[in-house]
Amino acid sequence: MDKLRSFLLGLPRRQKRLLQVGTDVVLVWLALWLAFIVRLGIDDMYNPIRVHAWLFVSAPIVAIPLFIRIGMYRAVMRYFGNDALIVIVKAVSLSSLILAVVVYWYSNHASVVPRSIIFNYWWLSLVIIGGLRLCMRQYFMGDWFSAAQHVPFTNRDDGLTKVAVYGAGVAGNQLVAALRMGRVMRPVAFIDDDASIADRSISGLQVYKPKHIQQMIDVTGAQEILLALPSSTRARRREILNFLEGFPLHIRSVPNFTDLASGRVKVDDIQEVDIADLLGRDSVPARPDLLTHCIKGKVVMVTGAGGSIGSELCRQIFSLGPTALLLFDHGEFNLYSILSELERRIDRESISIRLLPILGSIRHPHKLQDVMKTWKVDTVYHAAAYKHVPMVEHNIAEGVLNNVIGTLNTAQAALQTGVSNFVLISTDKAVRPTNVMGSTKRLAELILQALSREVAPVLFGDKGNISRVNKTRFTMVRFGNVLGSSGSVIPLFHSQIKSGGPLTVTHPKITRYFMTIPEAAQLVIQAGSMGQGGDVFVLDMGEPVRIVELAEKMIHLSGLSVRSDRSPQGDIAIEFTGLRPGEKLYEELLIGDNVSATPHPMIMSADEDHVPWDVLKTRLSELLVAVEEDDYSRVRQLLRETVSGYSPDGEIVDWIYQQRSLDP
C-alpha cells in the first residue's frame, strides 16, 4: 500500500488529472446505472445500458467538461477540504440539471426515462464522487483510522508521540490536520475550557475538560500537550501553564497569530512554551503617534543593529514608514542576518524603504560622523554595547572603550551633524552598579545628560575649543533583562534541559526583571518620542522573578521532574554555582525616588543626578589615560568618583590585570 501511495503521489500532474478524469467517467456511469436499479429494481430482462445507451453516452459528455470548468481537478487530494466538497456539489448539481434537460428533450424521440432517475443520479453521484475523494484523502495522508479513534479494533500503536491539543478551535483543528499529515506526532485528544463541547468528538478526537486531564492521560496515553491558543492573553496562558505544571507532560505551543500572519512561522511549527507566558503580563497597546513621531518619513539609524535589541528595533522601525534605515554594526554575520530578514520582508510586503547595511565600529568617531552626515540621519537608536556582566568584568578596557567612549563618539557625531533625536538603550544594571558593565552604562547616561544641558558645548577631544550648536534631543531608556537575548538564562536552560541537566543557577535568592524583546523595543521607540532632552525613562518591568523558580517551571513544563534531596529520583537537578564577578542578587530601576508618570502607563520618567559637562570631560580624559596604561585600579577609582552608587564587590578580575599581578 505504501509503495502504491508513493507511486501515485510521484506521478506527473498531467497523468494524475487524466487518472481522475477516467475514474470520474466510470463513477458517472456507475451512479447512472445505480439510479436505474434504485428506481426499477434488478430485473434480468431489463438492461438500462442497452435500453438507454444514449443516456450513458450523454452523462459523461455533460459532466466531465463541467467538472473541469468548475475546477474539480484543481484540488490537491491530500489537502481536500470543505471548499472542494462545495465545488463537487455545485458541479454535480449543475451537470444533473443539464442532463435533465437532455432527457426531457431526447425522451420525445426515444424511450421514456423515469423522472426520478435524475434525482437518484444526483444524490448517488454526490455520494460516490465525493465519498471516493474523501477516502483517497485519508489514503494519501496515510491515516485511515484518524477519524475513528474510538471505534473498536481500530486503535494501534505506530510508535508516534501521542499528543493532546489544548484548544479545540480553528488553530487546534488546523494543528491536528497538520500533525496527521506530517506523521511525526499522533493527536489523541482535545482539551478545552468550553463546557458546551466537553465529551463531544471533533475531528475524530474526544474533547476533555481540563479537570479530566489525568483521565485523558490514562485513556489515551498522551505524552505531550500542545497549546493551540494563539489569541489568548498572556495572563490566561499563565493560568493554564500553572495548572498543567502538575502533570507529567511535556508542554509545547503553536505560534501566535502575529507570527502566523507575518509568515515567519506556520501553524504546525511546534515550539517550546514561551517563557513570557510564565510571566503572565499582557503588553499595553502601543500609541501610534508615539511610535511614528521620530520615524515616519525620516532617515533612521540603529547602532548594534545585529544584536538582540538592535535587530528587534530594526524590525519595528521597518514597519513604521522611514524613508531609509541604516543598519550599523561591527559584526558582519549579525548584520547580514538582519539585512536578509528585512529584504525578504520587502519582497513579501512590497514596502518602499531603503536599507543600508553599514559595517563599522562606534569606536571610530569619523566613520560615525561620515555616515550621519552623508545620509542626513534624523533619528539614532544607540543599542551598541557590551552587556554581558562577567565578560566585561574580565575585559575592563573593552567595556569602557565600547560602552563609554563608543556612546560619546556616537552622541557627538549626532550633535555635529544635526541629528534631531538620539535614544540610548540603557539597563537596570546602571542603578547603583556593582560591576563595570553597569557603571559604564551609567556613565554613558551621564554623557547624554550633560550634553543635553549644553546649548553650545565644546566637544570632548576638540583641541580648537570650538562650540557646537546643540540641536539634538538626547533621551535614555532603562530596562531590565529581555527574554531570549544573547547571553540570556532562558536559552541556556533550554539547552541544559535537552542535554539532561543539571540547570545551573548562581544563587537560590537571585531575582531579575524580565520583558520580551518586542515589548521592550516598542516601548523604547515610544519613550524616545516623549523626551524633552536629557530624560531618563524607566520601563515598567512588572514583578521581579526568582531564577530558581523559573528553572523549576521550565523543568516541569518539559514533562520532567526536579531532582533534589527531597526527590532523589527526579529527572534534572538544579545546581547553584555562586554569584559571578560583578553580579548582584537583585537589580533596581531607579537611583533615587524622584519618578513621575508619563502619558504612557508603562513608561516612567526618572529625575536622576547629573555631572556638568566640563567636569565630565576631565573625568573622561583621565579615564582614557588609565585605560591606555592598563591602570585598572585607577579606572575603578574614577568610576567610583563619577558614578553615584558604584560599589564594586570583590577584587579586580580583568585578565590583563590579574596576569600582571602574577608576573614577578
Side-chain angles (χ1 to χ4, degrees), residues 460-472:
F460 178 81
D462 189 344
K463 297 178 181 178
N465 287 329
I466 301 173
S467 298
R468 307 278 182 173
V469 176
N470 187 358
K471 298 181 180 179
T472 305

Side-chain angles (χ1 to χ4, degrees), residues 629-654:
E629 296 176 352
D630 294 331
D631 187 353
Y632 298 119
S633 295
R634 177 60 176 161
V635 169
R636 176 177 279 193
Q637 179 187 347
L638 288 168
L639 289 175
R640 281 178 185 268
E641 294 173 357
T642 311
V643 176
S644 174
Y646 175 47
S647 177
D649 185 15
E651 300 296 323
I652 297 174
V653 294
D654 181 88

Side-chain angles (χ1 to χ4, degrees), residues 318 342-351 353 355:
F318 181 87
L342 295 180
E343 284 180 335
R344 288 193 296 270
R345 285 186 59 187
I346 287 178
D347 294 338
R348 186 171 63 244
E349 302 172 23
S350 301
I351 295 177
I353 183 176
L355 294 179

